[in-house]
Amino acid sequence: MTTGTSGLTWAQLRDLKCAELEGAADGWGKASNRADAGRDRIEKQLLNGLRETQQGAAADAAVGRLRQLSRNLQYVYTECGLVRTTLNSLAHEMKAQQRALRDALEDAEALRFTVHPDGSVTYPEAGEGLIPGKPLAGGTASVGAASGILPPSGLVAPNPNTAKAQDIADRVAKAVRTAAEVDWRFARILRKLRAEEGLKVPDRTWTDAAGDAAAVRDAARGYLKSAIPLDASPAARRDWWAGLTDEQREEYLAVYPDQIGNLDGIPALVRDTANRDNLQLLIGKLEGRDGERAETQLAGLREIDRQLQAARRPGEPPMYLLGIGDEGNGRAIVSFGNPDAARNVATYVPGLNTSLDREFAEGDLKRARDTAIGARYYDPSSAAIVWLGYDAPQSPDGLHSLDVMRDERAEGGGMAFHQFMGGLSSTNENSDAHMTAIGHSYGSRTVGAATQHGGGIPGVDDIVLVGSPGVGVDRAEDLGVGKDHVFVGAAENDVVTRLPSKQQSVFGAAGWAAAGPLGARLLGDAADQGDDDLWFGRDPASRSFGARRFQVDEGPQLVSSEGLSIDAHSRYFDPNRDAVSANNIALVTAGRAGKIKAEEHR
């Protein structure tokens, strides 16, 4: 087939062997799979074996070289997969035009018309003239000509074959023209799928790969993307994935890692594989952009990548990347332990000022890691997840924000969290899985919002609320798990757990935000008249709310000789700074809530 639009004929389109394109695609697919297998062997065998048996500078250098080789193979896997899908997409679109051409040719044959090499169609005489009473003469319908039907004069009727022949000629021409455009479009894409020479894959190469992936995704949208069940339930998505062939799964992972990796209901191991590839593409994409937002997200992505590549310390669970993206303030979902295999799974939702940045990658990931390690002490079949699947309120001044006072972000995040937990519930392999939702700060409001959809959060047995400004309901029993399965930690010096309610605040929301953290605490103390109300409803730590309050450290005072501090709000998960709180959270996560240390209600 000619690469260009002018040389293609309908005979060439008819005789095109799309199976040869698909065969070539299979060859690129095998190359992609071999690269993936090599990368997998490096990560799971060679690196682990080297770390366990060798130490010193030489071993460190060998690890570095293996890491580089693994990165190179990941790039080979991605690019070869893109070539495969490009060829399969080309074959898919060409087959569609062949079918259109075949239908037109079959219609011509049935009518005894003749289709000429130039696409014109000759038709025989037919009908009957009104004056002479003889059949009307045949003719030839030209490609691109007018319909050929003259308005009847009252004396002469048109040949009924004229319109039929013109329709066939137009259909043949359209199939050839569309096929030529497809040919040229895919030829441009294939020319761009070229790697730089050399044995290294620098960041700029991943930037090019990100562009390559975007081009192939656009070209393959009719071939692959349209079949992704984006609007289906998590259970339906799980079944869709299970019903695909190995070859189909490989193509989706190569071309749409962003879609598959972030699709609730897809198994965790698959999401992790897709998101590790998408992580590199996102890094390459942001490398080519300027601006503070790109730099901030890039720092977060690089830190997550560093942790994924780092050696695990003894007793530390493996990491799984269940979601990653650059939309909004960024998205990241990281699990410590396999959430599909673990019997106990906790998912932590962070709050105010959380975004995809280095602080999140270092601090919030550590909270999930500490929770997983603590829970595995009581039950090795435990995993903990940090879920940044929404845009949490942002404020450069900590609590000095009006966003944190509003419900909109929590409501939107609650729907997304509900969907995510539905996915976890559908893919977990245990019939008696125990799941816990943990909300910190504004994240507790998001968890509360999630409970109000569809009869509660799917699969969740226990809810933990720490540093909460309220959850949007006034009773623990309204969270869908029973009040004895709602657990609350509220440090005495945590200013967020004392935010005045909308009714209590004499200044209103704007006045409270203008007051700043210190003013908020003083205002909260002054306005609290003992009715247990916080900004988002009843105080979860109050007796009237009805949850089980557990012991936490009181935390540093808001104002001390060292200045102003809201550190009491951020210590709940840290076994070094608040061991009793971290242990209580771990006990609930591991299904050992009967052993928590209780605290008196406010």
Side-chain angles (χ1 to χ4, degrees):
M1 185 176 62
T2 304
T3 304
T5 59
S6 61
L8 185 64
T9 67
W10 67 260
Q12 290 174 317
L13 175 60
R14 178 197 61 192
D15 298 336
L16 176 66
K17 294 180 173 58
C18 290
E20 293 182 356
L21 290 172
E22 294 170 332
D26 289 341
W28 285 99
K30 290 177 182 178
S32 179
N33 292 339
R34 283 195 292 269
D36 190 42
R39 178 183 60 169
D40 192 62
R41 183 165 182 262
I42 289 172
E43 296 293 333
K44 296 182 179 179
Q45 297 181 31
L46 298 181
L47 284 172
N48 289 338
L50 188 60
R51 294 192 195 100
E52 292 171 359
T53 60
Q54 304 293 324
Q55 293 181 346
D60 292 341
V63 167
R65 288 193 291 271
L66 284 172
R67 285 287 185 206
Q68 181 64 58
L69 180 57
S70 176
R71 184 177 173 85
N72 291 356
L73 289 173
Q74 184 176 14
Y75 176 74
V76 172
Y77 161 79
T78 298
E79 289 292 302
C80 289
L82 293 177
V83 173
R84 171 183 56 189
T85 298
T86 300
L87 292 172
N88 277 333
S89 297
L90 173 59
H92 174 78
E93 294 199 31
M94 284 299 188
K95 283 181 177 179
Q97 300 313 313
Q98 282 185 317
R99 286 193 296 271
L101 173 64
R102 182 178 63 247
D103 290 345
L105 295 176
E106 288 176 353
D107 287 348
E109 183 178 5
L111 293 168
R112 300 181 182 277
F113 292 177
T114 300
V115 181
H116 300 285
D118 64 354
S120 60
V121 179
T122 297
Y123 55 92
E125 62 181 14
E128 183 176 327
L130 298 180
I131 298 301
K134 296 180 180 179
L136 298 173
T140 299
S142 301
V143 177
S147 65
I149 303 177
L150 297 175
S153 64
L155 299 176
V156 179
N159 185 331
N161 285 330
T162 302
K164 297 176 183 178
Q166 189 63 56
D167 175 65
I168 291 172
D170 291 342
R171 287 157 60 194
V172 169
K174 181 180 179 181
V176 173
R177 182 174 62 252
T178 303
E181 292 170 353
V182 168
D183 178 29
W184 181 243
R185 174 159 49 89
F186 279 93
R188 289 200 306 269
I189 294 172
L190 287 169
R191 288 193 190 101
K192 292 180 179 179
L193 293 177
R194 296 182 302 174
E196 294 185 14
E197 295 183 3
L199 299 177
K200 291 186 178 182
V201 180
D203 288 337
R204 66 177 181 274
T205 304
W206 278 108
T207 300
D208 292 339
D212 294 341
V216 176
R217 287 172 191 163
D218 182 65
R221 60 185 181 274
Y223 169 58
L224 288 176
K225 187 176 181 179
S226 60
I228 299 176
L230 297 176
D231 296 327
S233 68
R237 293 167 178 172
R238 175 201 61 201
D239 295 342
W240 168 76
W241 183 260
L244 297 177
T245 65
D246 289 341
E247 291 76 12
Q248 288 173 323
R249 293 175 186 169
E250 289 164 4
E251 284 202 83
Y252 277 113
L253 288 172
V255 181
Y256 292 106
D258 57 329
Q259 297 284 336
I260 302 304
N262 291 287
L263 198 62
D264 298 324
I266 300 298
L269 290 176
V270 176
R271 292 182 71 160
D272 178 64
T273 297
N275 284 314
R276 286 176 186 248
D277 291 331
N278 191 40
L279 176 62
Q280 299 305 321
L281 293 174
L282 282 172
I283 289 174
K285 172 184 173 182
L286 294 178
E287 275 284 347
R289 293 185 176 179
D290 297 323
E292 182 179 355
R293 177 174 173 271
E295 292 177 3
T296 297
Q297 292 189 351
L298 187 58
L301 293 172
R302 288 195 179 282
E303 176 56 23
I304 292 173
D305 186 43
R306 186 197 67 77
Q307 292 185 37
L308 287 168
Q309 303 299 329
R312 275 194 292 141
R313 293 186 291 271
E316 189 172 282
M319 287 177 66
Y320 295 85
L321 190 58
L322 304 183
I324 199 74
D326 63 343
E327 61 266 35
N329 293 325
R331 302 287 186 267
I333 308 171
V334 180
S335 180
F336 293 88
N338 185 339
D340 288 349
R343 185 167 49 250
N344 304 295
V345 182
T347 305
Y348 147 60
V349 181
L352 176 67
N353 275 345
T354 310
S355 63
L356 179 55
D357 55 16
R358 189 178 185 87
E359 182 179 354
F360 165 81
E362 292 177 340
D364 289 280
L365 264 65
K366 181 181 183 299
R367 290 176 178 178
R369 183 188 295 110
D370 287 340
T371 299
I373 293 172
R376 286 159 71 95
Y377 175 81
Y378 296 105
D379 186 345
S381 184
S382 299
I385 301 167
V386 53
W387 182 86
L388 181 59
Y390 78 121
D391 283 332
Q394 301 294 303
S395 170
D397 300 324
L399 295 177
H400 190 179
S401 170
L402 286 178
D403 277 341
V404 77
M405 296 182 174
R406 299 191 179 104
D407 293 289
E408 289 85 352
R409 296 189 185 222
E411 294 294 341
M415 292 185 65
F417 184 62
H418 187 279
Q419 180 94 345
F420 174 75
M421 294 305 295
L424 282 188
S425 181
S426 69
T427 57
N428 189 278
E429 301 161 1
N430 296 278
S431 59
D432 59 343
H434 167 253
M435 294 191 178
T436 304
I438 304 174
H440 173 244
S441 185
Y442 190 86
S444 67
R445 175 67 185 91
T446 303
V447 170
T451 66
Q452 304 306 297
H453 297 283
I457 306 175
V460 168
D461 304 287
D462 293 317
I463 292 176
V464 176
L465 310 169
V466 288
S468 175
V471 295
V473 300
D474 289 332
R475 302 179 304 172
E477 60 194 68
D478 294 333
L479 295 178
V481 293
K483 65 179 183 179
D484 290 338
H485 291 272
V486 180
F487 303 86
V488 176
E492 184 64 24
N493 293 319
D494 182 353
V495 62
V496 173
T497 68
R498 294 182 176 276
L499 292 179
S501 71
K502 298 179 180 71
Q503 290 75 27
Q504 289 170 330
S505 176
V506 296
F507 297 123
W512 177 83
L518 178 57
R521 174 61 184 271
L522 297 176
L523 177 59
D525 291 342
D528 191 349
Q529 302 301 315
D531 61 0
D532 298 325
D533 283 344
L534 293 184
W535 193 264
F536 296 116
R538 189 71 41 89
D539 181 359
S542 68
R543 184 175 302 279
S544 57
F545 187 79
R548 297 168 63 181
R549 188 182 182 191
F550 58 81
Q551 288 184 18
V552 302
D553 187 82
E554 66 179 14
Q557 294 183 349
L558 181 67
V559 181
S560 69
S561 59
E562 297 180 0
L564 186 68
S565 171
I566 58 171
D567 192 49
H569 184 60
S570 60
R571 299 156 57 103
Y572 295 100
F573 300 88
D574 195 323
N576 295 318
R577 298 194 298 165
D578 193 345
V580 64
S581 176
N583 188 59
N584 282 328
I585 294 172
L587 283 167
V588 176
T589 296
R592 306 290 196 272
K595 296 183 178 181
I596 65 170
K597 292 183 179 180
E599 178 70 77
E600 287 292 328
H601 293 97
R602 285 178 175 170

